[in-house]
């Protein structure tokens, strides 16, 4: 049906549809004296751009019968022919007219509204999409509304997807590739129903609100070392303090050097070697130069003495022949090519330094006959220096010879463990509030352990008032602290390093060969530090990439020392047997 519409702006939208107007302008219902130049526009519902047809003044004749056409003719009042067949419409000029629309063989424009998505499938057939979602749209396209009969329904048939060239599922007939029914016809043995049960646990949470009373933090005085558990060390040590001082170190050396110079054979040897030299120095000046060199390096020399004495076969307060030989080998002192410093010459030095002219003296009571004490060790250093660099080999100056031996052989070849300074551990690891609180918390137990392992002397008698080495080693054994990572030598070194410096090793030998309760606490700290793994910062500061490298290096150093000791023991056994 067409609705007349008069557009007063004079613009017209041309359609590809051919418009058949009346051939006579006088008979044109659109002609009028007032608006002959205004075209008539007819809108075929619904209103769209392509549904608006304009009747112009000119007449177009198109012989193409396939295109749709719209014809207009005037309504004659009283006409019975069109009555009930064609409705009439009132034009804008008040006249009535009939319209005839011929659709031709082309299809009319059909508006297809947006299709709402299908509902969520709730059954298996819906999930399998047995019907196309756009089936309703296709029906509308096949038979558009408003088409004039007769019309040919347009039902587009989509192309069927070609059959696959193989079966991807286990079907009943896998050899039938050209039969569509063979696809999807699964074997019944593949159809399995699996029923799973899942236990649902409901958790019920109950919240209870309580008022908590936060006690105020008690203010306490800042931690200080004099108020710590280490306080008795000030009274007990020769340094009268918490650290070994340089004054005590110097007094130790002076006492050892005094005893060495009191040996007549040692002094006569120094005077003889000084006179044999071409420098012509006064003997007091030459001896003073040796004194200054040894004093300057006494801390390192004493550290080497403690380290190698702990690795010996005797007690760790004397340097045995095996330990002395290890010292010679690791410091590259003995030389088979040397004229005066062969291995046999070094053994002679050891024997000469151990000679005791007075077997009943105070020194002889505590000095083991076949091992060197500190002052004898200093004498051996001087004699080895003269044998290796003196006697016209490199220098006639006895002071220069001693300096060469100390710098070239001893200091440059000492292992890190032989260069340990006891004060470093006390400053960096032991003396702090955290360690002090832990030790105070277990103070009663620690005192009981210290008292328990103050063993009786092996020859009988009363228990010692202080802890000696045999009790310390018994404690390590009972506590199962000695293993592959913490050896017996490590335990002995922890005992020796925990002692404060003793000025006189002979007069105060009992104090020199034992540890106090505070020393015992330090020894425990050294064991704990050796048993624990180093931190990342410690590894970086010692140029280790990881803990494994540190453990392997530690095991290697311990293995080298153990191998050296075993070789020395075998050599001594062979010599004794010969």
């Amino acid at each position: 049906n067409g609705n007349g519409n008069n557009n007063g702006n004079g613009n017209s939208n041309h359609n590809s549809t051919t418009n058949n107007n009346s051939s006579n302008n006088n008979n044109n219902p659109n002609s009028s004296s007032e608006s002959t130049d205004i075209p008539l526009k007819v809108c075929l519902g619904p209103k769209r751009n392509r549904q608006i047809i304009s009747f112009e003044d000119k007449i177009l004749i198109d012989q193409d019968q396939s295109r749709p056409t719209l014809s207009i003719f005037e309504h004659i009042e009283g006409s019975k022919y069109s009555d009930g067949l064609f409705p009439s419409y009132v034009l804008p000029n008040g006249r009535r007219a009939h319209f005839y629309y011929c659709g031709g063989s082309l299809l009319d424009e059909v508006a297809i509204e947006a299709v709402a998505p299908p509902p969520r499938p709730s059954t298996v057939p819906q999930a399998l999409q047995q019907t196309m979602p756009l089936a309703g749209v296709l029906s509308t396209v096949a038979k558009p509304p408003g088409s004039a009969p007769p019309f040919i329904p347009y039902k587009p048939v989509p192309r069927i997807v070609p059959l696959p060239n193989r079966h991807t599922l286990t079907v009943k007939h896998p050899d039938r590739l050209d039969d569509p029914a063979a696809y999807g016809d699964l074997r019944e043995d593949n159809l399995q129903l699996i029923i799973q049960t899942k236990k649902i646990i409901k958790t019920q949470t109950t919240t209870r609100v309580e008022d908590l009373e936060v006690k105020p933090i008690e203010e306490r005085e800042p931690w200080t070392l004099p108020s710590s558990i280490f306080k008795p060390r000030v009274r007990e040590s020769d340094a009268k303090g918490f650290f070994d001082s340089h004054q005590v170190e110097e007094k130790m050396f002076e006492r050892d050097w005094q005893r060495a110079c009191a040996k007549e054979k040692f002094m006569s040897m120094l005077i003889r070697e000084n006179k044999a030299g071409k420098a012509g120095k006064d003997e007091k000046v030459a001896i003073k130069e040796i004194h200054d060199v040894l004093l300057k390096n006494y801390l390192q020399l004493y550290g080497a003495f403690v380290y190698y004495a702990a690795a010996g076969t005797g007690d760790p307060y004397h340097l045995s022949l095996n330990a002395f030989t290890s010292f010679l080998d690791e410091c590259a002192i003995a030389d088979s090519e040397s004229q005066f410093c062969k291995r046999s010459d070094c053994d002679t030095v050891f024997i000469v330094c151990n000679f005791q002219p007075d077997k009943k003296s105070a020194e002889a009571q505590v000095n083991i006959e076949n091992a060197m004490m500190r002052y004898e060790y200093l004498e051996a250093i001087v004699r080895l220096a003269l044998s290796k660099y003196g006697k016209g080999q490199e220098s006639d100056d006895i002071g220069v010879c001693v300096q060469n031996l100390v710098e070239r052989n001893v200091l440059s070849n000492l292992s890190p463990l032989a260069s340990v300074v006891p004060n470093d551990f006390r400053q960096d690891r032991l003396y702090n509030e955290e360690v002090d609180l832990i030790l105070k918390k277990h103070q009663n137990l620690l005192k009981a352990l210290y008292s328990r392992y103050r063993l009786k002397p092996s020859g009988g008698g009363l228990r010692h008032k202080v802890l000696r080495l045999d009790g310390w080693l018994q404690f390590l054994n009972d506590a199962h602290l000695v293993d592959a990572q913490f050896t017996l030598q490590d335990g002995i070194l922890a005992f020796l390093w925990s002692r404060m410096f003793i000025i006189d090793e002979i007069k105060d030998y009992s104090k020199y060969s034992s540890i106090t309760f505070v020393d015992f606490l330090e020894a425990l700290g050294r064991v704990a530090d050796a048993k624990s793994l180093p931190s990342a910062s410690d590894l970086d500061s010692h140029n280790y990439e990881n803990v494994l490298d540190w453990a392997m290096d530690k095991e290697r150093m311990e293995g080298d020392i153990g191998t050296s000791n075993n070789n020395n023991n075998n050599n001594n056994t062979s010599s004794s047997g010969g």
Side-chain angles (χ1 to χ4, degrees):
N1 296 326
N3 296 324
N5 183 14
N6 186 8
N7 191 345
N9 56 15
N11 296 328
S12 62
N13 296 327
H14 295 279
N15 193 291
S16 60
T17 304
T18 303
N19 304 323
N20 292 333
N21 299 332
S22 174
S23 59
N24 190 350
N25 289 337
N26 295 329
N27 296 328
N28 190 345
N30 191 31
S31 61
S32 64
S33 59
E34 292 86 359
S35 57
T36 57
D37 57 345
I38 298 177
L40 175 64
K41 291 185 178 181
V42 179
C43 177
L44 303 178
K47 183 179 180 181
R48 295 189 185 90
N49 291 334
R50 295 175 59 88
Q51 298 289 82
I52 299 176
I53 301 176
S54 176
F55 287 88
E56 304 291 344
D57 292 340
K58 57 183 178 179
I59 299 176
L60 299 178
I61 299 176
D62 193 349
Q63 301 297 330
D64 189 0
Q65 300 297 325
S66 63
R67 302 178 64 178
T69 58
L70 179 65
S71 301
I72 183 174
F73 53 92
E74 185 178 1
H75 172 68
I76 305 299
E77 292 293 338
S79 173
K80 300 297 183 180
Y81 181 80
S82 62
D83 187 15
L85 181 61
F86 299 107
S88 60
Y89 300 91
V90 180
L91 299 180
N93 56 6
R95 302 175 66 178
R96 302 183 68 86
H98 296 281
F99 295 93
Y100 177 76
Y101 176 73
C102 181
S105 61
L106 297 181
L107 297 178
D108 294 340
E109 180 181 359
V110 178
I112 301 177
E113 302 295 337
V115 179
R120 182 182 181 88
S122 58
T123 61
V124 175
Q126 291 179 356
L128 296 179
Q129 294 186 359
Q130 294 180 346
T131 60
M132 297 185 63
L134 300 179
V137 177
L138 296 178
S139 299
T140 304
V141 174
K143 186 179 180 182
S147 299
F151 62 88
I152 301 175
Y154 176 69
K155 296 183 179 181
V157 179
R159 295 181 57 187
I160 300 178
V161 178
L163 297 177
N165 56 3
R166 62 186 181 89
H167 289 281
T168 58
L169 302 177
T170 306
V171 296
K172 294 181 179 179
H173 306 285
D175 54 339
R176 295 167 58 180
L177 300 177
D178 54 349
D179 186 4
Y183 292 88
D185 189 10
L186 303 179
R187 291 208 314 249
E188 295 180 358
D189 55 353
N190 285 340
L191 299 178
Q192 298 179 2
L193 295 178
I194 300 176
I195 301 177
Q196 295 181 347
T197 59
K198 183 178 181 181
K199 185 178 181 180
I200 300 176
I201 301 176
K202 294 183 178 180
T203 304
Q204 184 176 1
T205 305
T206 303
T207 304
R208 183 175 60 183
V209 180
E210 295 181 357
D211 295 333
L212 299 179
E213 181 181 357
V214 180
K215 296 182 179 180
I217 300 176
E218 298 180 0
E219 296 183 359
R220 58 181 180 179
E221 297 181 358
W223 181 84
T224 58
L225 192 54
S227 62
S228 66
I229 197 173
F230 308 104
K231 180 180 179 180
R233 177 163 274 181
V234 177
R235 182 184 70 256
E236 298 167 350
S237 64
D238 288 356
K240 302 303 178 184
F242 296 99
F243 298 94
D244 292 321
S245 61
H246 294 291
Q247 292 79 5
V248 174
E249 177 187 342
E250 185 175 352
K251 289 180 180 179
M252 282 177 59
F253 170 75
E254 295 295 344
R255 187 63 54 87
D256 295 343
W257 182 247
Q258 180 184 0
R259 283 200 172 93
C261 293
K263 300 177 68 172
E264 182 179 355
K265 291 186 177 182
F266 177 58
M267 291 301 297
S268 61
M269 183 272 299
L270 291 180
I271 296 173
R272 182 177 64 253
E273 293 295 334
N274 182 60
K275 289 182 179 180
K278 299 179 181 180
K281 289 185 179 181
D282 182 71
E283 60 184 39
K284 293 184 179 180
V285 175
I287 295 175
K288 182 65 168 58
E289 291 179 353
I290 297 177
H291 169 276
D292 294 342
V293 172
L294 295 177
L295 176 60
K296 178 182 178 181
N297 301 281
Y298 181 71
L299 184 61
Q300 291 78 12
L301 294 175
Y302 175 68
F305 175 84
V306 172
Y307 175 75
Y308 287 101
T313 55
D315 68 66
Y317 318 112
H318 298 76
L319 192 65
S320 64
L321 179 59
N322 292 338
F324 181 71
T325 304
S326 299
F327 169 73
L328 296 176
D329 293 340
E330 294 185 15
C331 294
I333 296 177
D335 186 3
S336 59
E337 303 296 331
S338 176
Q339 183 179 359
F340 305 104
C341 199
K342 297 182 178 64
R343 176 61 63 84
S344 58
D345 299 323
C346 296
D347 293 342
T348 302
V349 170
F350 181 84
I351 296 173
V352 171
C353 293
N354 270 292
F355 176 72
Q356 290 289 336
D358 187 2
K359 303 297 183 180
K360 297 182 180 181
S361 62
E363 290 85 351
Q365 299 300 321
V366 296
N367 191 357
I368 300 177
E369 186 174 357
N370 295 322
M372 292 189 297
M373 298 191 76
R374 286 182 343 210
Y375 73 95
E376 295 171 333
Y377 168 70
L378 291 181
E379 178 186 354
I381 292 293
V382 177
R383 288 182 178 273
L384 291 173
L386 297 178
S387 299
K388 189 170 184 65
Y389 296 104
K391 303 181 185 299
Q393 298 177 92
E394 285 195 15
S395 176
D396 293 328
D397 192 329
I398 57 178
V400 174
C401 295
V402 175
Q403 183 175 359
N404 289 341
L405 181 76
V406 172
E407 294 180 353
R408 296 184 188 178
N409 298 93
V410 180
L411 300 183
S412 60
N413 293 305
L414 285 180
S415 66
L417 292 178
S419 305
V420 169
V421 179
N423 278 344
D424 293 343
F425 175 80
R426 296 163 187 156
Q427 177 68 38
D428 300 336
R429 308 286 287 169
L430 183 65
Y431 292 156
N432 58 72
E433 184 178 7
E434 183 179 3
V435 175
D436 180 43
L437 293 177
I438 294 176
L439 294 178
K440 284 182 177 178
K441 179 180 179 181
H442 304 282
Q443 183 174 2
N444 294 334
L445 173 62
L446 295 174
K447 285 185 176 180
L449 289 174
Y450 180 80
S451 177
R452 161 65 179 82
Y453 288 97
R454 291 188 291 109
L455 305 180
K456 294 182 179 181
S458 57
L462 299 177
R463 295 172 58 191
H464 297 290
K465 294 183 178 181
V466 289
L467 182 63
R468 302 181 69 86
L469 180 62
D470 55 348
W472 167 254
L473 296 180
Q474 183 65 38
F475 164 73
L476 295 180
N477 183 63
D478 294 345
H480 303 286
L481 293 174
V482 178
D483 53 20
Q485 290 295 328
F486 186 79
T487 62
L488 185 62
Q489 183 183 358
D490 294 331
I492 297 175
L493 286 174
F495 179 89
L496 298 177
W497 287 335
S498 300
R499 302 171 304 163
M500 298 291 285
F501 282 169
I502 305 299
I503 297 176
D504 197 324
E505 62 175 340
I506 295 178
K507 181 180 178 181
D508 297 326
Y509 184 77
S510 176
K511 186 178 180 181
Y512 177 69
S513 58
S514 61
I515 57 175
T516 64
F517 175 69
V518 178
D519 298 338
F520 172 71
L521 298 180
E522 179 179 339
L524 287 179
R526 292 183 182 273
V527 174
D529 191 64
K531 296 288 287 185
S532 62
L533 297 178
S535 62
S537 58
D538 293 337
L539 293 176
D540 293 339
S541 61
H542 291 81
N543 299 324
Y544 289 111
E545 293 184 359
N546 48 54
V547 178
L548 180 61
D549 293 343
W550 166 81
M552 295 179 64
D553 192 25
K554 183 175 183 295
E555 185 176 355
R556 178 186 58 79
M557 290 191 298
E558 294 172 352
D560 293 343
I561 296 174
T563 303
S564 177
N565 292 337
N566 292 335
N567 293 336
N568 294 334
N569 292 334
N570 294 334
N571 294 336
N572 293 336
T573 303
S574 300
S575 301
S576 300

